[in-house]
Amino acid sequence: MKRILILTAALALSALAQTPPANPAPAQPTAQRAPIPETPNSRKAREVLDRMIQALGGDAYLTFQDMEQVGRTYRFYRGVPVGTGARYWRFWKWPDKDRIELTKQRDVIYVRNGDTGWEITYKGTRLEDPHDLAEYLRIRHYSLEQVIRRWLREPGVALFYEGAGITEQKPVEKVTIMNAQNEAATLHIHANSFLPVKKIYSLRDPKTREINEEAEVYDNWRPLQGIQTAHSYTRFYNGEMAGQRFIESVKYNVGLPDSMFTATVTYDPTKKTSR
């Protein structure tokens, strides 16, 4: 039972998503959209985004290369907590390397490098379950870092100012960013601090053809090494809470080696193991 709860918590950290079928990883672009003519609306959107980037730390936010993070993660199913959560250690390197270690012994590990993922336990190392990896890749593709640091620099990006409103009891300005592949994410940005409050994106399930909405809420921002860091992160799936993460400590630009983000399959399903 303990092992099930630990692995459940691992998925909460890596995907923080519920159990409906995952969408496949986004396809690579085959062509770039022609440059979008600037309008008063897009200029307003750009102005709000520029202020947000400066609030996040400006160049320090746009250029940090890696991060160590320690905290606790929780998973929810249809708004109800699952298990008691798990302590985690996360090591992240731009743009596509991620390592998550779970349990007090740090003996349940998930490693992602590019489009490949591994699961490491006392049984050995195996390739990550394709469903779980697809969820992780989708969420990474729409992550705040990818949207701000990659999408905004791509040719053919379109910006739309969606107006002012109230989100999480906070005054916000809403901006939608659409890349050349017509993938869109809407940021709700605090009208005073210009820090992100919420990010929303919608995807069509390839099996059911239904539209699913995924959202992330950021809170408890603190400056660390010149970079604003949200210490509270909550994920929603179709309006229901799917997971939470609370960060205890963060370090940036620690010089993580690439060797932390690779693994070799050693698990033999025919071999008996004991702890």
Side-chain angles (χ1 to χ4, degrees), residues 79-119:
V80 178
V82 177
T84 58
R87 187 168 175 81
Y88 74 87
W89 289 258
R90 184 185 183 196
F91 306 88
W92 175 93
K93 190 170 186 178
W94 176 260
D96 58 4
K97 297 178 176 63
D98 207 349
R99 179 186 180 97
I100 298 163
E101 301 176 1
L102 294 152
T103 80
K104 292 181 179 180
Q105 294 75 31
R106 300 166 69 167
D107 58 357
V108 177
I109 302 169
Y110 290 85
V111 177
R112 284 81 175 225
N113 191 329
D115 293 339
T116 304
W118 298 268
E119 177 191 53

Side-chain angles (χ1 to χ4, degrees), residues 45-243:
R46 174 67 70 178
E47 175 188 332
V48 174
L49 290 172
D50 286 345
R51 296 191 66 174
M52 179 193 69
I53 291 171
Q54 289 305 308
L56 287 168
D59 287 341
Y61 176 83
L62 293 174
T63 60
F64 77 87
Q65 293 301 300
D66 61 34
M67 170 185 66
E68 286 186 10
Q69 190 181 101
V70 180
R72 195 162 186 87
T73 180
Y74 300 84
R75 180 174 179 260
F76 293 72
Y77 179 69
R78 295 185 175 177
V80 178
V82 177
T84 58
R87 187 168 175 81
Y88 74 87
W89 289 258
R90 184 185 183 196
F91 306 88
W92 175 93
K93 190 170 186 178
W94 176 260
D96 58 4
K97 297 178 176 63
D98 207 349
R99 179 186 180 97
I100 298 163
E101 301 176 1
L102 294 152
T103 80
K104 292 181 179 180
Q105 294 75 31
R106 300 166 69 167
D107 58 357
V108 177
I109 302 169
Y110 290 85
V111 177
R112 284 81 175 225
N113 191 329
D115 293 339
T116 304
W118 298 268
E119 177 191 53
I120 305 172
T121 68
Y122 72 93
K123 294 182 178 181
T125 301
R126 71 178 84 189
L127 290 174
E128 187 173 6
D129 177 83
H131 176 277
D132 299 335
L133 179 61
E135 282 194 312
Y136 170 83
L137 294 176
R138 182 188 74 240
I139 293 168
R140 184 183 71 187
H141 182 69
Y142 284 88
S143 68
L144 194 63
E145 292 84 5
Q146 291 287 334
V147 169
I148 296 174
R149 298 177 61 169
R150 172 167 281 175
W151 289 25
L152 284 176
R153 296 182 177 183
E154 291 178 346
V157 65
L159 307 178
F160 306 93
Y161 179 70
E162 310 282 4
I166 301 294
T167 300
E168 301 296 315
Q169 293 79 52
K170 299 172 183 177
V172 298
E173 295 190 74
K174 304 174 187 179
V175 175
T176 293
I177 303 168
M178 180 178 290
N179 63 22
Q181 290 73 53
N182 293 321
E183 299 164 332
T186 299
L187 300 180
H188 296 213
I189 302 165
H190 199 291
N192 299 321
S193 70
F194 284 91
L195 292 171
V197 173
K198 189 174 187 177
K199 173 170 60 67
I200 301 174
Y201 57 94
S202 298
L203 295 168
R204 185 180 297 278
D205 188 290
K207 294 182 179 179
T208 66
R209 308 307 298 167
E210 294 180 352
I211 298 294
N212 296 314
E213 181 186 273
E214 303 188 38
E216 298 168 0
V217 173
Y218 314 98
D219 205 356
N220 195 15
W221 290 91
R222 303 178 198 170
L224 297 168
Q225 296 175 239
I227 299 170
Q228 284 285 352
T229 304
H231 283 60
S232 173
Y233 167 97
T234 305
R235 182 168 178 80
F236 294 86
Y237 189 93
N238 287 334
E240 295 181 333
M241 187 181 293

Side-chain angles (χ1 to χ4, degrees), residues 37-46 161:
E38 190 174 61
T39 66
N41 180 278
S42 65
R43 282 195 294 271
K44 175 64 175 178
R46 174 67 70 178
Y161 179 70

